[in-house]
Amino acid sequence: EDVPSVARAHLEIGRTERRLGRSADAEAAFRKAMAHPEEARTACDALHELASLYRRAKKTDEARAALRQVIDGYPGQASTRAQALVRLAGLHRDAREYPQAEECLRRCLAEHGDLWRVSVEALDDLVTLKLRVKEAAEARRLLDTHGDAIKARFAGTSQEERVERALEKVPSRARLE
């Protein structure tokens, strides 16, 4: 049995079932994709899919649990883990659990600062969160401090220009000016 292929096949079956509106079948397929934790990337993708499925079904606790499983169970999967932190922050924000949302975003910036796209997204979400709770001065400080840190991290790399442009276009920046 080709375990990676089987796990990926279950993931794709789950995505197809989801598109067809068959949530229970999609969930079952995603769970089968996760049955091989050694296939970390596929398992993380399945957990992200489950989180989306649960979120649409308004099963917030289950969505959070799936994202936490990515965060806690797959430390070697930096990109999907960082995205899980941003998504978990969004669930907390939607529930008006602002301190928990902030904690997720700060953790993403601290642990995954070498991933520029998700770092810029986390920074924008953090600044937006601070604006939502009427902390504009802190929002400005965070944008400047973390923006400078992200720029410094990618200075002299092939991503430097993209990082600069992305930071210039941070949507929350417009609300600060």
Side-chain angles (χ1 to χ4, degrees), residues 107-122:
R107 184 173 174 190
C108 181
L109 287 166
E111 295 176 12
H112 300 291
D114 56 335
L115 303 170
W116 74 267
R117 282 188 178 106
V118 75
S119 293
V120 170
E121 181 182 357

Side-chain angles (χ1 to χ4, degrees), residues 143-159:
L143 183 60
D144 292 343
T145 303
H146 284 288
D148 288 348
I150 293 169
K151 286 179 197 174
R153 167 65 180 87
F154 292 96
T157 70
S158 61
Q159 292 92 12

Side-chain angles (χ1 to χ4, degrees), residues 1-172:
E1 178 177 310
D2 182 7
V3 172
S5 295
V6 171
R8 281 192 302 275
H10 284 297
L11 179 65
E12 290 309 315
I13 289 167
R15 289 173 172 159
T16 300
E17 295 290 358
R18 185 199 66 228
R19 282 191 294 274
L20 293 171
R22 299 192 292 239
S23 297
D25 293 336
E27 181 178 359
F30 293 141
R31 292 205 175 280
K32 286 179 183 175
M34 293 167 32
H36 303 285
E38 66 277 8
E39 292 303 316
R41 177 59 194 223
T42 301
C44 287
D45 288 350
L47 285 162
H48 272 283
E49 293 285 356
L50 278 172
S52 295
L53 201 64
Y54 293 143
R55 185 169 186 249
R56 276 187 224 107
K58 308 232 184 290
K59 295 180 178 180
T60 307
D61 290 340
E62 290 89 340
R64 289 178 184 182
L67 293 171
R68 282 190 189 105
Q69 195 172 345
V70 173
I71 295 162
D72 298 334
Y74 296 92
Q77 297 297 308
S79 182
T80 55
R81 193 172 175 277
Q83 200 57 46
L85 282 163
V86 170
R87 292 183 70 198
L88 183 58
L91 289 172
H92 284 301
R93 182 197 61 235
D94 293 348
R96 299 178 190 264
E97 298 166 342
Y98 300 130
Q100 294 90 332
E102 181 176 345
E103 180 184 327
C104 289
L105 294 168
R106 286 182 182 272
R107 184 173 174 190
C108 181
L109 287 166
E111 295 176 12
H112 300 291
D114 56 335
L115 303 170
W116 74 267
R117 282 188 178 106
V118 75
S119 293
V120 170
E121 181 182 357
L123 177 58
D124 182 44
D125 288 354
L126 183 57
V127 170
T128 300
L129 182 68
K130 287 300 185 180
L131 290 172
R132 182 176 281 185
V133 297
K134 309 286 190 246
E135 295 179 15
E138 177 66 0
R140 168 56 65 195
R141 188 191 70 72
L142 287 167
L143 183 60
D144 292 343
T145 303
H146 284 288
D148 288 348
I150 293 169
K151 286 179 197 174
R153 167 65 180 87
F154 292 96
T157 70
S158 61
Q159 292 92 12
E160 182 175 18
E161 248 182 76
R162 284 189 240 160
V163 170
E164 289 278 342
R165 283 194 307 268
L167 286 168
E168 288 170 6
K169 294 178 183 177
V170 167
S172 59

